[in-house]
Amino acid sequence: MYIIVGLGNPGKKFEHTRHNAGFDAIDRLADKHGIKIDKLKHKALIGEGRIGSEKVILVKPQTYMNLSGESIVSVCQFFKPEYDHMIVMYDDIDLDVGKLRIRKKGSAGSHNGMKSIIKSLSTQEFPRIRIGVSKPTEGWDLADFVLSRLSSEDSKSFDESLDRAVLTVEEIISSGIEPAMNKYNG
């Protein structure tokens, strides 16, 4: 079984903003595999289904980004996954729009949602897919930037990166993290 988490903020106000890249990627994965994300459990919207022969739990924490760990620790206490079978997808300002970075484990960097998860689980030993949203231009507040929507010129590259994030999850499930990293990093 795999737990696949997409980070974001709940509510219409935040839909399709840079900070909701994880939610957008989870929605694409759910659509592609016919999984309904319609149960409210563990402070998250959850969908259960299959990708290939593997059972998957798709998770969109509803705690707001900075408290994502509250939801994820509850999910993990209930489903008891091996941490190498929990994949977290989220936005990354240190990557250009259209880029992905896949890692087996690692620190949270400056991402508050990941800081919350790592603190709540007391581990950083889980795979993650970072989705590039670029840095704000000088003078643009970081919080305002990540809560903004992408320009029309960046939207195409961003959409392609979300599609590649879906392919990355499928590759991790079917072949493992190393082949996924070799195929989709960058």
Side-chain angles (χ1 to χ4, degrees), residues 5-9 14-32 37 59-60 89-91 131 133 148-150 158-159 161-163 165-166:
V5 178
L7 298 185
N9 287 310
F14 301 108
E15 280 182 1
H16 310 300
T17 60
R18 294 169 196 272
H19 221 23
N20 274 32
F23 276 13
D24 290 342
I26 282 286
D27 288 341
R28 287 201 185 197
L29 188 64
D31 288 346
K32 184 172 181 182
I37 302 175
V59 180
K60 292 168 63 175
M89 298 188 285
Y90 61 99
D91 62 292
I131 302 165
V133 297
S148 71
R149 289 178 174 77
L150 286 110
F158 183 69
D159 283 344
S161 70
L162 293 176
D163 289 339
V166 167

Side-chain angles (χ1 to χ4, degrees), residues 115-131:
K115 286 177 184 175
S116 175
I117 292 171
I118 289 169
K119 182 179 179 191
S120 295
L121 295 178
S122 299
T123 186
Q124 54 187 20
E125 304 282 322
F126 53 87
R128 69 272 324 262
I129 301 169
R130 295 168 22 207
I131 302 165

Side-chain angles (χ1 to χ4, degrees), residues 3-131:
I3 306 287
I4 305 162
V5 178
L7 298 185
N9 287 310
K12 290 266 184 222
K13 173 181 174 183
F14 301 108
E15 280 182 1
H16 310 300
T17 60
R18 294 169 196 272
H19 221 23
N20 274 32
F23 276 13
D24 290 342
I26 282 286
D27 288 341
R28 287 201 185 197
L29 188 64
D31 288 346
K32 184 172 181 182
H33 292 279
I35 299 170
K36 290 185 178 160
I37 302 175
D38 58 359
K39 296 178 189 89
L40 189 56
K41 295 179 181 177
H42 311 289
K43 299 182 184 179
L45 283 172
I46 292 184
E48 297 183 39
R50 296 194 95 64
I51 295 178
S53 62
E54 287 286 341
K55 179 179 180 179
V56 296
I57 310 297
L58 305 184
V59 180
K60 292 168 63 175
Q62 299 296 290
T63 52
Y64 290 94
M65 184 67 79
N66 295 356
L67 300 175
S68 296
E70 290 179 13
S71 171
I72 301 312
V73 77
S74 178
V75 167
C76 289
Q77 286 170 345
F78 184 80
F79 290 105
K80 298 178 179 24
E82 296 294 324
Y83 286 132
D84 66 344
H85 278 62
M86 183 182 82
I87 303 164
V88 181
M89 298 188 285
Y90 61 99
D91 62 292
D92 190 332
I93 61 166
D94 293 321
L95 294 173
D96 291 336
V97 170
K99 300 288 184 193
L100 293 182
R101 179 85 26 90
I102 300 104
R103 293 284 182 260
K104 282 188 214 182
K105 60 184 179 180
S107 74
S110 63
H111 198 281
N112 290 331
M114 287 297 287
K115 286 177 184 175
S116 175
I117 292 171
I118 289 169
K119 182 179 179 191
S120 295
L121 295 178
S122 299
T123 186
Q124 54 187 20
E125 304 282 322
F126 53 87
R128 69 272 324 262
I129 301 169
R130 295 168 22 207
I131 302 165

